[in-house]
Amino acid sequence: ATGGRVETRLSRRRLAVLAVFSCYSLVNAFQWIQYSIVSNVFAGFYGVSFTQIDWLSMVYMVAYVPLIFPATWLLDARGLRLTALLGSGLNGLGAWLKCASLAPDRYPLTLAAQAVCAVAQVFILGLPSRIASVWFGPAEVSTACAVAVLGNQLGTAIGFLLPPVLVPNTPTDIDLMAHNISIMFYGTAIVSTLLFFLTGVVFEEKPKYPPSHSQAVLQTMPPEDYSYKQSIINLFKNVPFVLLLISYGIMTGAFYSVSTLLNQMIVTHYKGEEVNAGRIGLTLVVAGMVGSIICGLWLDYTKTYKQTTLIVYILSFIGLLVFTFTLDLGYLIVVFVTGGVLGFFMTGYLPLGFEFAVEITYPESEGTSSGLLNASAQIFGIIFTLVQGKLTTNYSPRAGNLFLCAWIFVGIILTALIRSDLRRHNVNSGIMNLDVKAVPVDSPVEPESTTLKIQSAL
């Protein structure tokens, strides 16, 4: 930038950055759910209770809460590339540690390995909105964020599908069970290592030119104007963001709880259907991936953040109610359908929350707002999983699901109270006193008159 003029254009590298991030985020999500969807198998293999197996999922949530503040500080202070390398590197380290836990007396080691993967997650979950904003233009940003979140969702889907197939329940042959688990663990470790090296090759801090007017404004602000502590304070003073923080935590925490306990819910009513429990989980998440993409495209087209978020929240509530009251009818096909409907809206909500937060908190850091949203989700996820698990065990899956329904209804009310102030959209639209000229995408020729005159840095 010279003389208050900043060139804007899109980089070809942005697609590779998005693809690599989505892949290692996928592997991290796969490692989160790979124990829970065959909880009865791992409980038998390690000789532990279902609650101890549930902790292999909940450790992801527990680790996130205390580490999110140093992780988002690191993202803001040291940048995107280092954060990405830490996420992918720790993901691979945790995967290799699991390979060393292939014995019935090594539950503590597999828990420690899962804890390493949980730390990796802290450096992963807050990146979708940062990658989308730093690398993608205003017409793509919501779709890019949805694709980045989709990688994590796809990992959960594969985590539902593959473990029941790779690790069938063979309680009379522990050696065969250990062999089957080793195939899953070693395969994951090899893929994680490859993705770590790809991250080192592909990731750069930012493109040569800012991709949007809002990014150009942020890049012209002096570094000394930014304070991580002040950014946190600003976010908690932002009432719409605080309302979104709670409502996002409720919805995403409910999704984490349903995912963790799905195997127990299904086998309670359908004995011996571990593989179909995984397929139902797959249906739930794949439908959610479709929902995420549709919502991302819709937001890029309409910018109706609050309206879309509220409608999806209400439909998620209805979907969970229908799922709850049809779970015990005795027809698995009905559970597949209701699980798919629930997943379409509940999982489709995840990128909506990220993008809505960025819009109402601009110019605060996307990593900070996303980190706080995810911290809220982990806290609610821990509480919901423990309470729903207890209700499911002591009473029935219906009691646990109705508990979640009550909380999601609270989330609907909070979402309706959010005042929508689309700050980033206003900057990109030139509403906030910015003199903007159009920029050709991926032009091989240096643009002569493509400039952005920063008349006001907000």
Side-chain angles (χ1 to χ4, degrees):
T2 57
R5 296 176 180 270
V6 180
E7 296 176 353
T8 62
R9 66 163 69 171
L10 299 180
S11 166
R12 290 185 180 91
R13 183 182 285 263
R14 72 193 189 283
L15 299 178
V17 169
L18 183 62
V20 171
F21 169 79
S22 297
C23 287
Y24 77 74
S25 178
L26 179 156
V27 175
N28 184 257
F30 173 84
Q31 296 199 81
W32 164 55
I33 206 66
Q34 67 182 163
Y35 295 98
S36 294
I37 195 57
V38 283
S39 54
N40 55 331
V41 175
F42 277 103
F45 180 74
Y46 287 116
V48 297
S49 68
F50 277 104
T51 300
Q52 286 172 288
I53 297 300
D54 290 344
W55 273 107
L56 292 170
S57 167
M58 288 190 289
V59 69
Y60 263 56
M61 308 172 204
V62 172
Y64 195 91
V65 178
L67 293 177
I68 183 53
F69 291 106
T72 51
W73 173 85
L74 187 74
L75 175 60
D76 290 330
R78 298 298 300 275
L80 188 60
R81 177 176 163 81
L82 177 63
T83 305
L85 286 170
L86 278 171
S88 58
L90 289 170
N91 202 41
L93 176 61
W96 283 110
L97 285 174
K98 288 181 184 181
C99 297
S101 70
L102 288 165
D105 60 345
R106 294 181 186 173
Y107 171 80
L109 180 55
T110 212
L111 178 60
Q114 189 75 331
V116 173
C117 296
V119 175
Q121 177 210 213
V122 182
F123 298 102
I124 294 172
L125 287 188
L127 290 191
S129 55
R130 171 63 68 92
I131 290 172
S133 294
V134 169
W135 284 90
F136 288 82
E140 311 170 317
V141 65
S142 294
T143 305
C145 183
V147 171
V149 173
L150 182 145
N152 204 264
Q153 296 169 2
L154 182 57
T156 304
I158 296 173
F160 280 128
L161 178 65
L162 279 186
V165 175
L166 295 175
V167 190
N169 194 11
T170 56
T172 58
D173 193 343
I174 296 300
D175 289 338
L176 176 60
M177 189 181 291
H179 172 72
N180 292 333
I181 293 172
S182 72
I183 293 173
M184 179 169 68
F185 282 177
Y186 276 101
T188 305
I190 291 168
V191 173
S192 298
T193 304
L194 173 63
L195 287 169
F196 171 67
F197 287 115
L198 280 176
T199 302
V201 171
V202 167
F203 263 78
E204 288 183 353
E205 192 55 47
K206 59 184 180 181
K208 182 178 180 181
Y209 299 100
S212 66
H213 312 142
S214 57
Q215 277 298 303
V217 171
L218 291 179
Q219 291 181 20
T220 59
M221 296 173 71
E224 59 270 18
D225 286 355
Y226 176 78
S227 163
Y228 179 71
K229 178 181 177 181
Q230 188 58 47
S231 179
I232 295 288
I233 293 171
N234 291 345
L235 288 173
F236 278 106
K237 286 182 177 178
N238 185 328
V239 175
F241 176 73
V242 173
L243 292 171
L244 180 62
L245 187 67
I246 299 170
S247 61
Y248 184 89
I250 290 171
M251 176 65 79
T252 312
F255 170 71
Y256 290 161
S257 184
V258 169
S259 299
T260 301
L261 300 170
L262 185 64
N263 171 270
Q264 295 174 46
M265 283 192 273
I266 299 301
V267 298
T268 296
H269 297 298
Y270 305 91
K271 303 295 183 184
E273 294 287 358
E274 292 89 356
V275 173
N276 272 324
R279 290 170 180 164
I280 290 167
L282 173 70
T283 303
L284 188 147
V285 179
V286 169
M289 290 161 54
V290 175
S292 293
I293 294 298
I294 291 174
C295 289
L297 292 169
W298 177 257
L299 287 186
D300 278 332
Y301 179 70
T302 66
K303 307 300 180 186
T304 53
Y305 291 86
K306 177 180 175 178
Q307 297 93 321
T308 304
T309 302
L310 182 59
I311 290 170
V312 171
Y313 219 115
I314 293 170
L315 292 173
S316 297
F317 172 72
I318 295 171
L320 185 56
L321 275 177
V322 174
F323 177 79
T324 299
F325 286 102
T326 57
L327 183 60
D328 59 353
L329 292 181
Y331 300 99
L332 268 175
I333 186 64
V334 174
V335 184
F336 271 97
V337 173
T338 56
V341 173
L342 175 64
F344 181 88
F345 296 112
M346 184 176 274
T347 317
Y349 172 84
L350 304 185
L352 289 179
F354 278 153
E355 282 300 289
F356 195 13
V358 173
E359 288 295 335
I360 62 180
T361 61
Y362 180 87
E364 304 299 339
S365 166
E366 302 91 349
T368 306
S369 62
S370 296
L372 290 174
L373 288 179
N374 282 319
S376 175
Q378 311 301 331
I379 292 170
F380 278 102
I382 295 166
I383 296 169
F384 288 171
T385 302
L386 289 172
V387 176
Q388 188 187 10
K390 184 67 71 174
L391 290 171
T392 299
T393 302
N394 293 348
Y395 299 99
S396 68
R398 177 175 294 184
N401 283 329
L402 286 175
F403 166 77
L404 293 184
C405 288
W407 274 100
I408 291 177
F409 184 75
V410 173
I412 291 173
I413 296 171
L414 294 176
T415 303
L417 294 174
I418 297 173
R419 179 177 57 84
S420 181
D421 181 12
L422 306 185
R423 303 181 183 185
R424 181 180 61 176
H425 172 63
N426 290 342
V427 171
N428 285 326
S429 299
I431 296 173
M432 302 185 77
N433 198 24
L434 297 174
D435 182 15
V436 176
K437 293 185 180 179
V439 184
V441 176
D442 286 337
S443 170
V445 182
E446 288 293 325
E448 296 178 0
S449 62
T450 301
T451 61
L452 168 65
K453 223 183 269 184
I454 311 295
Q455 296 180 345
S456 167
L458 301 181

